[in-house]
Amino acid sequence: STLDRSSAASDVYKRQGFGMSTLIDSASSAVFEGGEILISMQSGQEIRFSVEDNPRLASGTPEQLNNMELSPFGVHWPDLDEDLSFRGLLSGDHGQVEQSGGGNA
């Protein structure tokens, strides 16, 4: 059942040291300051990462970076066409990674 899967996912997150699962936790606020995105979760947990870790965010202005839409699953920057899930952020995935050239050197 869905409840069983949610419970199992929560147990995995707790075992991996993530605290509350994003399935039962949600963001209360998010802000760009000092070159970082800071997301405060209702559980009290914080997610913080440098915008330099993500090429789309790194190119944004402070106004674009502060224009965030929060959902139960992640954060969206409409001006920069970027979406990041809380699950990914908690596992260290900060989004787009620039690929090096494919052998056409």
Side-chain angles (χ1 to χ4, degrees):
S1 78
T2 302
L3 181 57
D4 292 339
R5 278 184 259 142
S6 295
S7 178
S10 178
D11 290 345
V12 168
Y13 271 78
K14 289 176 183 173
R15 281 196 308 269
Q16 293 178 352
F18 292 126
M20 291 190 76
S21 166
T22 55
L23 298 173
I24 56 174
D25 198 4
S26 59
S28 56
S29 67
V31 65
F32 166 71
E33 61 183 22
E36 294 184 322
I37 300 295
L38 172 62
I39 303 167
S40 299
M41 305 300 284
Q42 289 182 351
S43 67
Q45 183 174 11
E46 291 185 340
I47 301 171
R48 180 186 299 261
F49 66 97
S50 171
V51 297
E52 295 301 320
D53 292 345
N54 179 302
R56 286 187 184 175
L57 298 181
S59 68
T61 67
E63 292 78 19
Q64 291 172 320
L65 292 165
N66 268 310
N67 183 21
M68 290 177 255
E69 298 172 354
L70 297 174
S71 78
F73 304 103
V75 60
H76 172 65
W77 287 266
D79 299 334
L80 300 170
D81 190 30
E82 183 63 304
D83 296 276
L84 298 176
S85 72
F86 298 132
R87 180 175 289 178
L89 289 169
L90 287 168
S91 69
D93 179 0
H94 301 138
Q96 307 277 327
V97 176
E98 294 207 354
Q99 302 292 323
S100 59
N104 293 335

